[in-house]
Amino acid sequence: QVQLVESGGGLVEAGGSLGLSCVASGSIFKINDMGWYRQAPGKQRELVAIITSGGTTNYAESVKGRFTISRDNAQNTMYLQMNSLNSEDTAVYYCNAYVSTLRRPVFMAYWGKGTLVTVSS
């Protein structure tokens, strides 16, 4: 089994910064793409940023230039540094990863339970 656990959410003032982490654990063989998604109240879940195992990144237009995604493959950890936050960034942020395990050597999608980010204006 694979678990993804996010941390680092909280309350921040508009214009401030916050960093999120996601740690993957369990019977992991390999992790492929990882990503951050978010869901604001009353809205659908949306992609924030993704990063491949090789470090290639892609961002939603709304966060380009403000957010930075990174990962530490040795630690099975992904990060999201969020700067210049505004009220529209308020959401639950979810970690996503495509993981193959020792028992099932095919990539399957796993999700964390989410961490709440609240930006006060």
Side-chain angles (χ1 to χ4, degrees):
Q1 192 61 287
V2 174
Q3 298 82 36
L4 301 180
V5 178
E6 305 97 335
S7 62
L11 176 64
V12 62
E13 291 185 353
S17 298
L18 206 59
L20 305 181
S21 299
C22 170
V23 179
S25 63
S27 302
I28 296 170
F29 178 62
K30 187 176 180 181
I31 302 177
N32 200 357
D33 294 354
M34 301 184 78
W36 288 98
Y37 290 74
R38 66 185 181 187
Q39 187 167 17
K43 296 187 178 182
Q44 291 187 332
R45 189 175 298 189
E46 64 176 2
L47 172 69
V48 175
I50 58 174
I51 184 168
T52 68
S53 58
T56 300
T57 60
N58 195 17
Y59 297 89
E61 286 296 326
S62 60
V63 307
K64 276 185 180 178
R66 300 189 298 123
F67 290 12
T68 302
I69 188 172
S70 60
R71 64 190 283 176
D72 182 338
N73 291 331
Q75 299 296 323
N76 291 337
T77 302
M78 176 178 62
Y79 305 95
L80 184 68
Q81 179 62 39
M82 305 183 292
N83 299 327
S84 302
L85 287 160
N86 58 63
S87 58
E88 294 185 350
D89 297 317
T90 294
V92 177
Y93 284 71
Y94 296 93
C95 170
N96 166 261
Y98 285 85
V99 182
S100 64
T101 64
L102 298 174
R103 294 184 62 181
R104 198 167 186 178
V106 293
F107 290 109
M108 294 184 64
Y110 292 87
W111 291 89
K113 294 183 178 180
T115 185
L116 177 62
V117 172
T118 303
V119 183
S120 63
S121 56

